[in-house]
Amino acid sequence: MSGRAYALGWSLVRRLPEPLAYGAFRLGADAFWLARPAPVRRLERTLARIVPGREREVARDAVRSYLRYWCDVFRLPDWAPERVVGRVRVEHEERLRAPLAEGRGVVAALGHLGNWDHAGAWAGLTGAPVTTVAERLEPPDLFERFVAFRRRIGIEVLPLDAPGLTGTLAARLAAGGLVPLLVDRDLAGTGVAVDLLGEQARFAPGPALLALRTGAALLPVTVHRDEDVLVLVLHPHVEPPRAGTTREKVVAMTQAVADAIGEGVRAHPEEWHVLQPVFAADLPGRP
């Protein structure tokens, strides 16, 4: 049923007039928010740490932002390259371009903020070959549909359980590519404990470990929307500590990433699409 629903979305939403499509998704977002299902209540508990007393209102805006992301996803393959690039503004773009110009490769560490697929399409169209990793979805044809969608917008997607995954990513970085990875969900259950906005959370250690092993630049990125423009904020590079074990270095680098992600979340909490528990206090037992 989920596979058919996404297939219907891709075929129907792409054909609707743009105002009608986005208006329908906004109405759907408001209906979902008003119903207060478990994901919305979890989102409110998360946002209460950031905007106490305003979590209900901000959760509504976050659900609207999330549904807008999905409408964008369905329609993005039909956007002209000029629209993909023209609707992006980048702060501190030199932090991406300088390492790429040196052939160093860049690992971009992102949270679930804004529209990361649009950001990836922008990167690919402006000269940064993009390779990323995604968890397999069920049913398999749904995962293949997502892979095909991202391929059409210039993003190579590797399954999280692909054999030799680290070696493939290292090869892409050695060739001067960009590897964006989402860090604020511990999908593999191997995350490291970090302080996020004053509470303990677990972040994926992959971006820090990959940058440490390959010498690629580690670049935290946060994304938010300013009207119809997607804003990419490129934070300062995270450098590995000079001393310590590999694990100690990875933990320190992941904490620095969490600090940058937290900065972006605090500035734009309505753009944080986290309908799953994030903070350790909200996790039932093992993450």
Side-chain angles (χ1 to χ4, degrees):
M1 288 178 65
S2 61
R4 292 192 192 101
Y6 282 107
L8 179 63
W10 255 295
S11 62
L12 177 61
V13 177
R14 289 169 66 179
R15 289 167 172 77
L16 289 174
E18 185 164 299
L20 181 58
Y22 284 100
F25 272 71
R26 185 181 175 106
L27 285 174
D30 286 350
F32 185 63
W33 171 75
L34 283 168
R36 295 194 79 232
V40 172
R41 296 195 302 272
R42 283 195 296 265
L43 176 62
E44 289 176 4
R45 286 197 296 272
T46 298
L47 291 171
R49 274 73 162 215
I50 308 163
V51 287
R54 297 179 51 235
E55 62 269 17
R56 181 83 173 119
E57 169 195 348
V58 176
R60 178 201 60 200
D61 293 340
V63 173
R64 286 176 176 175
S65 173
Y66 188 41
L67 267 289
R68 174 160 184 161
Y69 160 80
W70 279 109
C71 196
D72 283 347
V73 163
F74 290 137
R75 299 177 67 89
L76 190 54
D78 298 322
W79 288 3
E82 296 78 14
R83 177 173 180 173
V84 173
V85 174
R87 292 199 177 184
V88 173
R89 184 174 79 244
V90 186
E91 296 182 7
H92 304 291
E93 187 172 350
E94 72 280 358
R95 291 170 177 164
L96 171 66
R97 300 301 173 187
L100 293 179
E102 298 167 0
R104 185 180 172 194
V106 174
V107 179
L110 299 93
H112 285 78
L113 286 152
N115 188 333
W116 48 93
D117 284 303
H118 187 174
W122 167 85
L125 286 170
T126 58
V130 178
T131 300
T132 192
V133 177
E135 61 179 321
R136 289 190 185 274
L137 303 173
E138 293 295 338
D141 66 317
L142 177 59
F143 178 73
E144 293 304 324
R145 189 178 292 275
F146 273 105
V147 170
F149 151 67
R150 290 185 168 114
R151 188 184 302 120
R152 286 198 300 274
I153 62 174
I155 302 174
E156 178 188 20
V157 177
L158 304 175
L160 186 62
D161 58 356
L165 176 63
T166 302
T168 302
L169 294 176
R172 301 294 188 270
L173 291 167
L178 169 64
V179 175
L181 300 171
L182 293 161
V183 296
D184 56 349
R185 284 182 61 198
D186 180 24
L187 295 176
T190 58
V192 299
V194 297
D195 180 283
L196 177 66
L197 298 164
E199 290 210 32
Q200 188 184 84
R202 300 189 76 86
F203 268 35
L209 187 58
L210 188 61
L212 189 61
R213 287 179 173 174
T214 63
L218 179 57
L219 179 66
V221 179
T222 56
V223 184
H224 67 273
R225 191 177 296 281
D226 181 8
E227 300 294 338
D228 286 332
V229 175
L230 196 72
V231 182
L232 313 184
V233 181
L234 311 188
H235 297 262
H237 296 159
V238 174
E239 302 295 343
R242 294 183 180 275
T245 65
T246 296
R247 176 170 176 77
E248 289 169 342
K249 291 179 179 179
V250 166
V251 169
M253 294 167 73
T254 304
Q255 179 61 61
V257 168
D259 291 341
I261 299 297
E263 183 181 323
V265 169
R266 195 174 292 283
H268 300 280
E270 75 285 354
E271 295 282 2
W272 202 21
H273 307 152
V274 283
L275 301 182
Q276 303 82 11
V278 175
F279 296 113
D282 295 334
L283 292 168
R286 184 179 179 276

